[in-house]
Each structure stands twice: as structure tokens, then as C-alpha cells.
Amino acid sequence: MYDSPHTVGDVMTPDPVAVDRDTPFKDVVSLMDRWKVSTLPVLEGGGRVVGVVSEADLARARAVTAGELMNAPAVTVHADATVAEAARVMARRGVKRLPVVDGTGVLTGIVSRADLLKVFLRADEELTEEVRREVVDRLFPLSADHIRVEVAEGVVTLTGWIDSPEPAPVAERLTRAVEGVVDVHCHLCPVSVRDDPH
């Protein structure tokens, strides 16, 4: 069962390959090729991340070590950050992979865009169960039996009767916040509409 919100620690690759400042250019290229990665964290002093070398950096002229190639300071993320937070950092900084560090800046893993997308591969049945438990049962404890939750390809449809219209937008917003939900169709109507002869 997934906990919500999903954290970087849940999806990251632990103990990634890394280099230090003095790693020669050719060794950097060799490691990227051998491990099929496009980014390598650069470490110093007990595993602290001081920079990142990407494939694009390899085009720099006259750089002979990782320390000369690297971008510093490194853009990093903590393991307890949410997947959404990590995705925003990647988008804002234009990177595809982020070193994951602990509170002292020591490398604990690496997370890629592909890792972040894994949360959208959750089964429809799992999403149905979480939306019912975390949204419907909590917001509508008295009328939960009158609300239907259907999920198809990550798209959630909420239908049924509720006591007042106010919670409907809240239900939609909370459902959208469930990781793996692609879209939400909210058709929750207050009972007064059903009873209105007009």
C-alpha cells in the first residue's frame, strides 16, 4: 500500500554511482557508459555532494577532471521531499536527475524523472480504495454509501448525492491530490437538487 504523499525516498535508486573531484575525464565518460546514466554526482569529504557532471558537461574544452567539469553547487533533494516537490525542482532547474542527500548533504540516492512517474502507474483498484478511504469516507461519513467512486486509467469519477454543495469542490481537490490520479470528474449533487420539483 502506498502512503500519501509519496516521497522521494520511496522511488529513488539507493547507493548510486558517483565520482570525486579528482576523477579523470575518461573515467567519468567510462562510468556513464558502463552504468547507462546521464548524470554523476561529484562527492568530497565523506560523501558530501558538491556538484554534478552531466553528459552535456563533457563537451567542455580543456577540463580534465570531474571537479573541472561539474556544475556547482549541485541541485539536490532530500529523501523526505514529496514526489511533487522533486518534480517541481526538476522542472524549475531543467534537470532530469537529482542527487538525494541527507541532512548533512551526504549522498543517499538518486532520483530520475522516470522514477517520479512511477506513482502514475498505480492500479485503478488501488486508487479507488484510497479515494474512498481518504476522501469520501472522511468528508462524507454520513452519506458515503450514496457516493460511487469509479477509476479508469487513472481518471476518477465521483457520483452521488451529498447533504450540501460546499464539500464538493473540496472532494475534487483532495482527489486530485491523490498520487497517481490523472484527472477528476466530480458529479456530486446536493440532496436538495434531487428533491427540487423544478
Side-chain angles (χ1 to χ4, degrees), residues 65-146:
T65 66
E68 294 170 350
L69 285 165
M70 72 182 185
N71 285 299
V75 181
T76 61
V77 68
H78 288 102
D80 59 359
T82 67
V83 165
E85 288 168 342
R88 280 195 291 273
V89 171
M90 283 187 185
R92 195 164 57 239
R93 302 302 290 268
V95 296
K96 295 178 182 176
R97 293 162 69 87
L98 288 172
V100 183
V101 297
D102 65 14
T104 61
V106 172
L107 183 70
T108 59
I110 199 152
V111 66
S112 68
R113 282 184 186 169
D115 295 329
L116 300 183
L117 291 174
K118 287 176 185 173
V119 297
F120 290 103
L121 301 178
R122 296 177 66 187
D124 288 344
E125 296 78 18
E126 192 177 350
L127 292 174
T128 301
E129 184 180 327
E130 183 167 336
V131 170
R132 176 155 290 286
R133 184 183 69 246
E134 300 297 331
V135 180
V136 174
D137 289 349
R138 289 187 177 186
L139 272 183
F140 310 105
L142 300 179
S143 55
D145 292 343
H146 303 293

Side-chain angles (χ1 to χ4, degrees), residues 32 43 52 57 110 162 164 170 185:
M32 283 186 176
L43 312 179
V52 173
D57 298 324
I110 199 152
I162 55 180
S164 66
V170 179
H185 301 302

